[in-house]
Amino acid sequence: MTRFVRHGAGGVRLAVGVALGALTSTAELVFLLLTGPVLLVRRTPPHFVTAAARRLVRIERTRLTALLGAGENGEAGDRRVLAYLAVRWPVGLLGGGVLFLLLYGAVTTVAVLAGWLYGGRPDGIAPTWPILVYLFAAATVLLFLDLAGLAAVAAFERGLVRRFLGPDERALMRARIAELSASRAGIVAAVDAERRRIERDLHDGLQQRLVALGMLLGRARRNESRDLLRQAHEESRRALEELRDIAWRVYPAALDDLGLRDALATVAERCAVPVRVHCDLPDRPIKQVETAAYFTVREAVTNAAKHSGATLIDVSILRRGTLVIVMITDDGAGGADPGGGGLSGLARRVAALDGRFRVSSPAGGPTVVTAELPCA
Amino acid sequence: MRVILAEDSTLLREGLVRLLAEEGHEVIAATADAEALLTAVAADPPDVAVVDVRMPPTHTDEGLRAALDIRRRHPGVGVLVLSQYVEKRYATDLLSTHSRGVGYLLKDRVAQVQEFLDALERVGSGGAAFDPEVVRQLLARTTHVDPLNDLTARERDVLAEMAQGHTNLAIAGRLHVSRSAVEKHINAIFDKLRLPRDGGYSRRVLAVLRYLGS
């Protein structure tokens, strides 16, 4: 029953939409007839013409979205707006014609039935069974054709609006290509930065330790000193720790074996500031997303611990539809620079996965770093 | 010897200070960046400045530029440059402007304590010291017109030793031949490389290196 009502309401909305469309198309026809000569003379349409055209188009859009279920809303140029009006008005008039036929059929049916009920003979035809059956069948077919016509007009209107006023497919593609080029260049830059960082890590950390170790051993041999030997032994342990540390910074093996939650637990343990991790994922996301989420958290946590003076860092990771949402909040001083090395690298990493990356860090805090990673 | 150090890693700086003190050298100053190094050298010129190439702020070649600066302003101060990698350009930069009291070692060489101390002595007394690895790479440039191709294997050995800054006597010891044999080899090398026969060993070394690095 409710479905029937809903369909009925939809039908009425459609009919009203088409009726209004017939009215507006008359207005558009008048407009085009008045401005046609101007448009023919001037290559670029004058402002008052385009303004009026846009107003008409706004009315059309409102009608289409409210009554005929069109959805697209793109930004159209002057030429496309005028072209739309020029192509659209006949469709509006066609809709008017279809509606007229519907009304005409309804009036005729009512008139004939009323005539028979009051004992008259409309057009000199008596209501015999064969006649009744014949007329009923014809009326049903005509009604069906008419309703189909209404639906077709509405579909036609929707198609025109998409074609002329919707987002231009080529513009969309161009934008997408630009976006892809940018994110590709970004990821290359991010990889290079990462490599530089690893090289620096190796040299400034590990190599120094090994050279110092060699030096200690050299001195120990020259002086035959047990104490220097002991120091060298200590130093070798530290060099190993350094190596483990660098390897972990390059890529934490736990991320592959144990997943995000365990890898992040290590990040929390290693951080000087308390970190609360809330990881609520129904299943393991694809590897790229997992890695991106992990590095986003680690970089943001490192940043917060280093620069913000935070006393608590909150990390939350959850699934919303096809998105994995990573959010790092700290109660520090704010003023984080999204263009800084670490954060811009993260932004590039997230962009390469078609995700969204936002940093909100007003002076006085709190700083919130959010990454939305599509995971379809 | 009186030494000034410039090395940004605290660990290594401390190690070097201790090592040099144990060997009886006097460390006047130990700095962590190029600016402090130049200030310290200007205040009290040492015999040798030991300089790390990579130092703050940019960690590129501050140390090398400071070393060249010191050579220009204080010709009496020897500079021994420590580098993470063998960079031919650094070696040739050092060589192209100065012919005495320069050294270029791989940082790792510091772990070979004896070799490091020898190099320091040579640079401090106006000689030269080049890392065997630097020399090896410079000698590795063989083209079809390379006059080095004319050298015998023995002459190449001698040239490599010489390029590192060793004296004839030291080369004789290292290659287990007599000193006169070494001198004969060197003369042969100079003839083949068409180098003038004058000056001290360091000038000859530098001439060879400059020739190779040009």
Side-chain angles (χ1 to χ4, degrees), chain A residues 4 42 63 78 84 92 105-107 122 186 233 254-255 266 273 305 351:
Chain A
F4 184 74
R42 302 220 358 205
R63 177 178 69 87
D78 291 345
Y84 169 72
V107 168
H233 195 187
L255 185 56
T266 314
V273 180

Side-chain angles (χ1 to χ4, degrees), chain A residues 325-372:
Chain A
I325 299 185
V326 182
M327 204 164 172
I328 303 96
T329 313
D330 73 64
D331 60 356
D337 172 21
L343 286 177
S344 66
L346 283 183
R348 289 192 290 239
R349 192 189 261 276
V350 172
L353 293 173
D354 273 334
R356 292 185 57 197
F357 183 77
R358 287 192 305 278
V359 178
S360 142
S361 187
T367 299
V368 184
V369 175
T370 318
E372 293 175 5

Side-chain angles (χ1 to χ4, degrees), chain B residues 21-192:
Chain B
E22 280 165 17
E23 294 299 318
H25 296 294
E26 185 194 347
V27 181
I28 305 170
T31 65
D33 63 72
E35 210 167 313
L37 164 72
L38 292 174
T39 312
V41 169
D44 183 4
D47 298 319
V48 193
V50 178
V51 186
D52 180 14
V53 171
R54 266 208 221 188
M55 281 193 289
T58 65
H59 291 272
T60 50
D61 61 353
E62 286 83 352
L64 185 82
R65 279 184 278 124
L68 294 171
D69 213 44
I70 292 170
R71 291 301 296 149
R72 211 172 26 248
R73 289 198 231 168
H74 312 276
V77 178
V79 289
L80 177 56
V81 174
L82 301 179
S83 173
Q84 305 275 24
Y85 305 105
V86 173
E87 297 289 358
K88 278 187 201 174
R89 197 176 56 77
Y90 292 169
T92 45
D93 276 358
L94 276 169
L95 291 171
S96 57
T97 44
H98 316 286
S99 54
R100 295 181 64 80
V102 285
Y104 181 79
L105 289 188
L106 267 184
K107 204 172 200 175
D108 306 359
R109 201 63 58 191
V110 174
Q112 315 294 323
V113 173
Q114 192 53 57
E115 287 182 44
F116 168 69
L117 291 169
D118 288 351
L120 187 75
E121 291 280 353
R122 286 208 300 276
V123 172
S125 53
F130 283 86
D131 198 281
E133 187 56 28
V134 177
V135 174
R136 199 185 57 74
Q137 290 207 15
L138 288 173
L139 289 176
R141 299 185 325 110
T142 46
T143 59
H144 60 286
V145 292
D146 198 334
L148 288 180
N149 290 340
D150 300 341
L151 301 184
T152 64
R154 205 46 166 163
E155 285 163 357
R156 274 168 174 276
D157 292 343
V158 172
L159 179 62
E161 292 294 335
M162 208 168 70
Q164 287 174 47
H166 293 294
T167 59
N168 293 0
L169 189 58
I171 295 173
R174 291 169 69 93
L175 296 181
H176 311 295
V177 294
S178 70
R179 188 175 165 175
S180 63
V182 170
E183 280 166 6
K184 211 165 72 217
H185 283 310
I186 291 176
N187 285 333
I189 291 168
F190 279 11
D191 286 344
K192 285 180 180 173

Side-chain angles (χ1 to χ4, degrees), chain A residues 199-200 203-204 207-209 211-212 214-215 218-219 222-223 228 235, chain B residues 11-12 15-16 18-19 22-23 54 84-85 107-108 110-111 114 117:
Chain A
E199 193 268 353
R200 278 278 293 280
H203 269 305
D204 299 351
Q207 195 195 13
Q208 313 283 26
R209 288 220 175 274
V211 172
M215 230 159 58
R219 284 167 58 205
R222 290 167 77 81
N223 304 324
L228 285 173
E235 197 54 55
Chain B
L11 187 70
L12 277 190
L16 282 168
R18 292 228 175 81
L19 170 66
E22 280 165 17
E23 294 299 318
R54 266 208 221 188
Q84 305 275 24
Y85 305 105
K107 204 172 200 175
D108 306 359
V110 174
Q114 192 53 57
L117 291 169

